[in-house]
Amino acid sequence: ANYHLSTVLAPQIALHGPEYVRFVFQQRFGPFGEEGTAPITRQWIERTIQECGMSREELRSSEERRVTALQTSGWVNLILFQTRGEVGNEEEEGGSGADSDGINPEGEGTGEQEPQQQPQPQPFILVPEVLLSDVANLRSIRSTTRMSVIGSALALHACTVAGVGDAVLRREPSTSEINQCRDDLIEAMSGRDVSSQLAFEEDISSAVIALARVLKPSLGAEEEKVLNSRTPKVMKGEDPVVKLLHNRMRIIFCELMEWTPEHSQTIPNQMSTGRRMSSLSSSSSGPAPIDSTSISDLFLAEAKQRFMTRGFAFFSAELADVCLKATKVISLAFIVYEKDLMEPTMKKAL
């Protein structure tokens, strides 16, 4: 059965899959050539042009720069790390279910409400039609990055109060005690079996204090008080460290969108995606096929190292995984839609 799947079915899916997806897309949203087709995708591309930091002349003259603009400014900045909203499309089933998890990387809308004032609804990040099939992956990536920023900020405060600097957050946990503290912090942040927001914050504060005690066994009551006071501010995104780490992580994601293995000029089109349509591939340009497993392993090793050395060691493995997923998602969008929709739309907008 596995032999039949790998030698007979998989090549057929790779050959005909993109064509079928394009057919279904046009049945739902309209022909690629019509102006009214995929309006959110068109708006997204136009905004990418405006905010990518590249001149229109530069974008017009280089296909590579156009791809880079969509991967970094369009995908990473405007969608993955957009803080002024939650993921959801009116047409997407369950789109009103925001990807909020009770924490906010930049403190948008976290101020106290007046007694008579109703809380304002959180705006949606409308997902381009070319990415709608990966909304679940998008929410997963955003959730992991958000939790990793908050957790890393809390761990950094523990290091600061303990007086040890941030070296512990730039390498693999050096002792079993630190590794256990990391696991306990992640468990506390998952919020399992927590009855209230107060209990949630108390559990996280306890995990942060436990880490500080491992780093400084003589930790005093006043130092514990400082950490207790920092936790709710970090969780609400009101601590400046959160914004610093959020921007740092966003930059790493942008860098990794352009990563290529040393022995290849570009990531091969055969690189699988984050969802089940993983065998979709381009049949034209691109380097000779390289085993996707080895490519993924190389990427994960590089990504983990970058996250670790820049202060995200406690979450480096999780961040490497979702960064790989993010790369696969945007790669699939290019494989399926670049020729018929994305590239013509961008050229016309320029």
Side-chain angles (χ1 to χ4, degrees), residues 151 154-155 181-189 204 207-208 314-315:
L154 291 167
C181 288
R182 170 200 176 275
D183 293 344
D184 291 344
L185 177 59
I186 292 173
E187 177 66 23
M189 293 184 66
I204 293 173
V208 175
F314 275 23
F315 300 90

Side-chain angles (χ1 to χ4, degrees), residues 4 11 58 62 84 87 95 109 137 161 172 189 214 259 265 272 279 281 318 332 334:
H4 181 75
E58 183 180 4
S62 172
R84 299 175 187 271
V87 173
N137 282 324
V161 169
E172 292 277 10
M189 293 184 66
V214 168
W259 175 89
Q265 294 301 308
S272 62
S279 54
S281 62
E318 293 84 355
L332 177 63
F334 276 104

Side-chain angles (χ1 to χ4, degrees), residues 11-157:
Q12 291 302 310
I13 293 172
L15 180 62
H16 300 293
E19 180 181 348
Y20 176 73
V21 174
R22 286 190 286 269
F23 170 78
V24 172
F25 184 95
Q26 291 180 91
Q27 290 292 306
R28 181 177 180 185
F29 298 110
F32 288 128
E34 292 188 359
E35 287 292 330
T37 297
I40 300 173
T41 297
R42 296 176 189 275
Q43 293 166 14
W44 170 61
I45 290 174
E46 289 172 0
R47 189 177 172 196
T48 297
I49 292 171
Q50 295 169 3
E51 301 190 16
C52 68
M54 304 178 198
S55 69
R56 289 178 177 266
E57 179 59 34
E58 183 180 4
L59 292 171
R60 278 194 292 265
S61 64
S62 172
E63 180 182 2
E64 182 180 352
R65 300 305 289 162
R66 292 193 294 272
V67 170
T68 297
L70 285 171
Q71 287 177 317
T72 56
S73 181
W75 175 227
V76 175
N77 293 350
L78 295 181
I79 298 179
L80 289 182
F81 283 82
Q82 176 60 255
T83 61
R84 299 175 187 271
E86 304 295 350
V87 173
N89 283 43
E90 290 182 2
E91 291 189 26
E92 177 70 10
E93 182 178 352
S96 60
D99 60 351
S100 177
D101 45 23
I103 57 180
N104 193 331
E106 293 193 0
E108 296 292 342
T110 59
E112 293 291 331
Q113 298 287 340
E114 295 296 330
Q116 295 83 11
Q117 186 178 3
Q118 294 297 320
Q120 294 299 311
Q122 185 81 319
F124 284 148
I125 299 170
L126 295 182
V127 181
E129 294 86 351
V130 296
L131 297 170
L132 268 183
S133 295
D134 274 301
V135 164
N137 282 324
L138 172 55
R139 288 180 175 145
S140 171
I141 295 165
R142 281 172 57 86
S143 176
T144 298
T145 56
R146 190 181 321 205
M147 295 284 282
S148 298
V149 164
I150 297 297
S152 297
L154 291 167
L156 181 57
H157 279 300

Side-chain angles (χ1 to χ4, degrees), residues 146-205:
R146 190 181 321 205
M147 295 284 282
S148 298
V149 164
I150 297 297
S152 297
L154 291 167
L156 181 57
H157 279 300
C159 293
T160 301
V161 169
V164 298
D166 67 348
V168 69
L169 302 179
R170 295 179 182 270
R171 61 172 183 258
E172 292 277 10
S174 56
T175 67
S176 59
E177 290 85 357
I178 292 177
N179 193 57
Q180 184 61 53
C181 288
R182 170 200 176 275
D183 293 344
D184 291 344
L185 177 59
I186 292 173
E187 177 66 23
M189 293 184 66
S190 72
R192 298 188 185 95
D193 303 322
V194 175
S195 58
S196 67
Q197 180 69 19
L198 178 60
F200 179 52
E201 292 176 0
E202 287 176 346
D203 286 350
I204 293 173
S205 289

Side-chain angles (χ1 to χ4, degrees), residues 211-265:
L211 172 61
R213 281 205 196 100
V214 168
L215 299 173
K216 182 182 179 182
S218 61
L219 194 74
E222 285 301 313
E223 292 164 318
E224 290 186 16
K225 186 177 179 181
V226 169
L227 291 174
N228 272 322
S229 69
R230 295 311 320 166
T231 296
K233 290 183 172 60
V234 170
M235 299 297 290
K236 293 176 182 177
E238 296 171 358
D239 189 288
V241 172
V242 174
K243 186 171 184 178
L244 173 69
L245 295 182
H246 179 267
N247 287 333
R248 184 184 299 174
M249 187 182 294
R250 177 184 57 79
I251 291 169
I252 298 171
F253 265 73
C254 285
E255 293 171 356
L256 289 168
M257 288 298 110
E258 301 182 70
W259 175 89
T260 58
E262 292 182 1
H263 58 285
S264 172
Q265 294 301 308

